[in-house]
Amino acid sequence: MKIRRLSKASALLFLLLMVACVRRDVMVVEKFAFPGPYKKAAAQGMAVYGNTLFLLNNGGHCRIYDLKSKELVSDFDLESADKENHCNSASFGVAFPEGNEEFPAFYVSECYGERRCFVESITSNGSRLIQTLSLGTDGVESRSFDWVVDRKQKFLYAIATASEELDAIGTRKYLITKLPLPALDLDNVVFKQNDIIEQFEISFPNLSQGASIYGDYLYLPVGLHDYPAAAERPHYSHRDIIVVSLKSKKVVQTIDIHHLVKGEPEDMDFHDGNIILYCGQSDGGVYKLSGSFPE
């Protein structure tokens, strides 16, 4: 892919605009005693429904915690558990699966292998795979590593890396694809080109991780944990939360969390207006971040 080089003036303006929208008024108000790595599996996706927190680990293991009592409710393997199921992000849908009145459908991003989205009927005691989603377009979007539900508007978004190369000012392009949210009675859904509602690209320098939608905004926790090689890629490794307006289709804020957490930001969701952030590594875990967040 040919990269268009920006002039020095354009590059400087872009960087100044990025710095101007950086938020540093966010703080950690609590760290929960919920570990990131679990049974030797890395922390990955997470989601919140009501006062219930769902933590996923690589391979498809799920832990459920009560955010009020801070107790472990249960833990089990998802029915979609597999070595290719990285569980990169997770989110709840809108509709309740048949026979399940406890939680809405649970959407889990495979990330590895075929990069599908597994839809589970999940309860406090286990889960059942009820639907598989994939993109059969052969385009960039077919390699989407994250799938996330927009519960407000009842759509589904898929996120893919549009370019593996960095541009002249050190940012990478990501492709956001908006899709219809399929009915749960369809077992296997393969989206085609004519199913795509809209697409847009955004750019930022960090490594993208999970995803969450809050109101009209897409939140992307990004970056890596501290380790020796990270010093060679300070922008790629920097820990932030990128905020994207789904209306303007632009990055509107960067929330700086680099010095708030040391572990790799894996996924996030909202609870009572606060961010619940799930981080990897032994110094990671689950954090509550307070601030005024766009919705």
Side-chain angles (χ1 to χ4, degrees):
M1 181 179 290
K2 186 177 180 180
I3 298 175
R4 183 174 63 87
R5 298 290 174 180
L6 299 180
S7 68
K8 289 183 179 180
S10 297
L12 179 59
L13 177 59
F14 183 85
L15 290 173
L16 287 173
L17 289 172
M18 289 186 67
V19 171
C21 66
V22 170
R23 286 268 307 280
R24 296 185 175 87
D25 58 339
V26 175
M27 66 180 67
V28 174
V29 293
E30 185 173 6
K31 181 178 180 183
F32 298 94
F34 312 151
Y38 192 71
K39 295 185 177 180
K40 299 182 179 181
Q44 296 302 330
M46 64 149 283
V48 175
Y49 187 80
N51 294 318
T52 309
L53 172 68
F54 295 74
L55 300 182
L56 302 182
N57 289 80
N58 182 45
H61 193 77
C62 176
R63 285 172 287 154
I64 300 178
Y65 290 92
D66 187 308
L67 284 171
K68 295 297 186 183
S69 68
K70 302 174 185 176
E71 294 181 352
L72 178 67
V73 176
S74 61
D75 71 298
F76 49 84
D77 283 344
L78 299 174
E79 189 171 348
S80 61
D82 183 84
K83 64 180 181 179
E84 295 293 338
N85 189 1
H86 192 48
C87 301
N88 203 55
S89 67
S91 60
F92 279 97
V94 180
F96 286 76
E98 184 177 356
N100 182 353
E101 298 181 356
E102 191 174 9
F103 301 109
F106 190 53
Y107 293 72
V108 179
S109 302
E110 182 179 29
C111 187
Y112 291 162
E114 297 179 50
R115 303 202 176 192
R116 296 165 291 182
C117 179
F118 298 120
V119 186
E120 304 256 1
S121 174
I122 196 164
T123 69
S124 296
N125 301 311
S127 78
R128 178 171 55 90
L129 181 63
I130 58 172
Q131 187 177 69
T132 301
L133 311 177
S134 60
L135 275 153
T137 61
D138 294 325
V140 171
E141 63 280 339
S142 65
R143 301 297 296 164
S144 292
F145 55 84
D146 276 338
W147 301 72
V148 57
V149 177
D150 178 353
R151 303 188 74 238
K152 178 181 177 181
Q153 301 295 337
K154 300 180 182 179
F155 290 110
L156 184 66
Y157 284 85
I159 305 169
T161 304
S163 173
E164 294 295 338
E165 300 180 69
L166 299 180
D167 61 20
I169 57 173
T171 65
R172 177 178 282 102
K173 290 181 179 179
Y174 292 89
L175 179 67
I176 314 296
T177 301
K178 183 179 181 180
L179 299 161
L181 190 61
L184 296 179
D185 58 357
L186 303 172
D187 294 335
N188 185 34
V189 178
V190 180
F191 294 104
K192 299 299 184 181
Q193 192 67 41
N194 60 1
D195 293 313
I196 295 175
I197 298 170
E198 63 182 15
Q199 289 182 308
F200 62 95
E201 287 186 346
I202 56 174
S203 296
F204 51 87
N206 328 60
L207 175 67
S208 187
Q209 302 282 0
S212 180
I213 292 177
Y214 184 51
D216 296 319
Y217 295 86
L218 171 65
Y219 284 75
L220 304 172
V222 299
L224 296 171
H225 61 292
D226 289 330
Y227 68 109
E232 300 173 5
R233 300 179 294 175
H235 297 296
Y236 185 79
S237 306
H238 201 277
R239 293 181 290 278
D240 295 302
I241 297 174
I242 306 296
V243 185
V244 182
S245 168
L246 294 175
K247 290 185 175 180
S248 70
K249 304 174 183 60
K250 297 182 183 299
V251 174
V252 294
Q253 282 188 5
T254 298
I255 301 174
D256 186 349
I257 59 170
H258 194 73
H259 299 293
L260 297 180
V261 298
K262 298 299 182 184
E264 185 174 317
E266 297 291 356
D267 205 1
M268 59 163 284
D269 208 342
F270 282 84
H271 179 252
D272 291 341
N274 298 304
I275 287 176
I276 305 297
L277 179 69
Y278 186 29
C279 295
Q281 292 74 50
S282 59
D283 56 355
V286 180
Y287 301 81
K288 180 191 291 185
L289 308 181
S290 71
S292 179
F293 305 113
E295 59 179 306

